[in-house]
């Protein structure tokens, strides 16, 4: 039997979520401020001691940002080196030649998937959208058919595959193994992006008729200028190096004797922060020095790319602060009690919580980090819970139905010059397909393993 206090806590949490929806989606207030204020209001409503409220939020924020700030900064630097060196262009044009014009939508899916591994969705989108316009113009192909597979590829790896920060937070909260999480995530991400990207784009493109006069596309007119680009193999190796190092770190106990110096070195090298640091340093050489950039230019690139990461980092931190308030106020424990009485499968619960937060806040990052903080205590009471699959299911839920309170929605709408209705038919449905298919595949994998 659920006690009265648990019910009060759950009602308070529900009101907090509804408040998030109203203030972010309807009142258009800053998400960080809204998360902060809502966290304070929830803490007071649940009876937390006043002197502990701010301390609790700060602890959650700093605990999350302490790691995430490093990942965001290093990942952004690597993405910047890809952009400035022409590495992203090299990957794109090479794959286009390999796939051919008739299969261009498959090529764009691969480009988004590969380039999206080390960068945030928004960064990858802005870096690659000129290629989408160029390819669509040169091949006289629908912008939807070319662009939707690319954004599907970016979105899938953003939500499911470490070393993206939100996925890393979920891995840490669930105490999942990094290497196995990456392996399972890639295994599930490939069929997911195929269905949501090229296959859905092929279906929906004939039903969406875009205005040929696209103001954003006009900003990326190809003047026929040629420039020397880094090799495909070198660029791909640089991008995938951090992921490879994380995989090596997860296999450290297999490759070496536990607690040995070599074992400790492999674990250190496989740490997400160190792996990304090595990747960035290597990119300074392969995509910097070897491309003719001097030390001053590389310093300029690495400095100027950090300013746009402030909002992302603060949102991740605020999500952590909100999650800590949920824990310290007793809401998480109340959810544990209800979940144990409801007997909801833990993977479905993780997906559902993340999906609800995604719908309310519009942020996949906040949804994933907050949902992981809520579900992790339940997982501790659930025999047989697989932390790696929980991290993936949470990521899948965090991608559910992007709509008007999501920045990605407006990015896609404005760049593709679509109406709100057409953006929902293309981008929002694409995101929902990714979310649902990834959940179904995660459930299937949990049964098969």
């Amino acid at each position: 039997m659920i006690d009265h206090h648990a019910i009060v806590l759950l009602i308070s949490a529900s009101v907090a979520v509804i408040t998030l929806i109203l203030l972010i989606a309807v009142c258009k207030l800053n998400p960080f401020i809204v998360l902060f204020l809502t966290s304070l209001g929830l803490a007071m409503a649940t009876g937390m001691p006043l002197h502990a409220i701010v301390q609790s939020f700060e602890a959650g924020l700093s605990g999350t940002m302490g790691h995430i700030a490093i990942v965001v900064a290093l990942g952004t630097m690597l993405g910047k080196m890809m952009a400035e060196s022409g590495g992203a262009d090299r990957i794109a044009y090479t794959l286009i030649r390999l796939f051919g014009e008739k299969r261009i939508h498959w090529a764009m899916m691969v480009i988004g998937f590969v380039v999206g591994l080390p960068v945030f969705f928004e960064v990858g989108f802005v870096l690659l959208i000129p290629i989408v316009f160029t390819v669509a113009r040169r091949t006289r192909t629908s912008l939807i058919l070319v662009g939707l597979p690319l954004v599907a590829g970016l979105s899938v790896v953003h939500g499911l595959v470490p070393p993206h920060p939100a996925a890393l937070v979920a891995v840490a909260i669930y105490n999942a193994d990094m290497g196995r999480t990456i392996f399972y995530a890639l295994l599930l991400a490939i069929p997911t992006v195929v269905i949501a990207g090229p296959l859905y784009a092929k279906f929906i493109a004939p039903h969406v008729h875009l205005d040929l006069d696209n103001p954003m596309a006009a900003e990326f007119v190809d003047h026929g200028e040629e420039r020397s680009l880094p090799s495909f193999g070198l660029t791909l190796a640089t991008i995938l190096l951090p992921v490879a190092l994380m995989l090596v770190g997860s296999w450290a106990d297999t490759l070496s004797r536990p607690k040995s110096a070599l074992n400790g070195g492999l674990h250190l090298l496989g740490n997400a922060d160190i792996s990304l640091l090595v990747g960035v340093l290597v990119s300074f050489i392969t995509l910097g020095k070897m491309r003719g950039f001097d030390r001053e230019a590389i310093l300029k690139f690495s400095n100027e790319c950090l300013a746009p990461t402030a909002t992302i980092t603060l949102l991740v931190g605020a999500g952590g602060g909100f999650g800590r308030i949920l824990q310290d106020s007793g809401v998480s424990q109340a959810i544990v009690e209800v979940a144990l009485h409801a007997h909801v499968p833990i993977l479905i619960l993780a997906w559902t919580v993340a999906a609800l937060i995604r719908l309310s806040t519009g942020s996949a990052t906040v949804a994933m980090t907050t949902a992981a903080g809520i579900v992790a205590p339940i997982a501790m009471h659930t025999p047989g819970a697989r932390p790696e699959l929980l991290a993936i299911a949470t990521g899948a839920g965090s991608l559910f139905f992007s709509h008007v309170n999501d920045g990605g929605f407006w990015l896609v709408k404005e760049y593709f010059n679509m109406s709100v209705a057409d953006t929902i038919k293309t981008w929002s449905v694409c995101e929902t397909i990714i979310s649902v298919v990834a959940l179904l595949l995660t459930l299937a994998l949990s049964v098969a393993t």
Side-chain angles (χ1 to χ4, degrees), residues 224-305:
E225 297 177 359
E226 298 292 337
R227 64 167 172 165
S228 174
L229 301 177
S231 71
F232 177 77
L234 184 66
T235 304
L236 191 63
T238 303
I239 296 171
L240 298 181
L241 177 60
V243 177
L245 291 177
M246 290 180 203
L247 290 172
V248 170
S250 71
W251 296 332
D253 293 339
T254 302
L255 298 174
S256 60
R257 181 169 53 84
K259 298 184 179 180
S260 66
L262 176 60
N263 183 264
L266 291 176
H267 276 296
L268 177 63
L269 195 61
N271 176 274
D273 295 349
I274 301 301
S275 297
L276 281 169
L277 177 60
V278 171
V280 170
L281 294 176
V282 169
S283 76
F284 288 164
I285 299 172
T286 58
L287 304 179
K289 286 288 186 180
M290 293 174 62
R291 303 308 309 153
F293 295 116
D294 59 21
R295 187 176 304 172
E296 288 74 18
I298 294 174
L299 176 62
K300 178 175 179 289
F301 297 155
S302 58
N303 283 341
E304 69 183 12
C305 71

Side-chain angles (χ1 to χ4, degrees), residues 162-183:
H164 276 280
L168 284 177
V169 171
V171 167
I173 292 175
Y174 287 125
N175 197 27
D177 179 83
M178 178 66 71
R180 283 199 293 267
T181 304
I182 292 176
F183 175 75

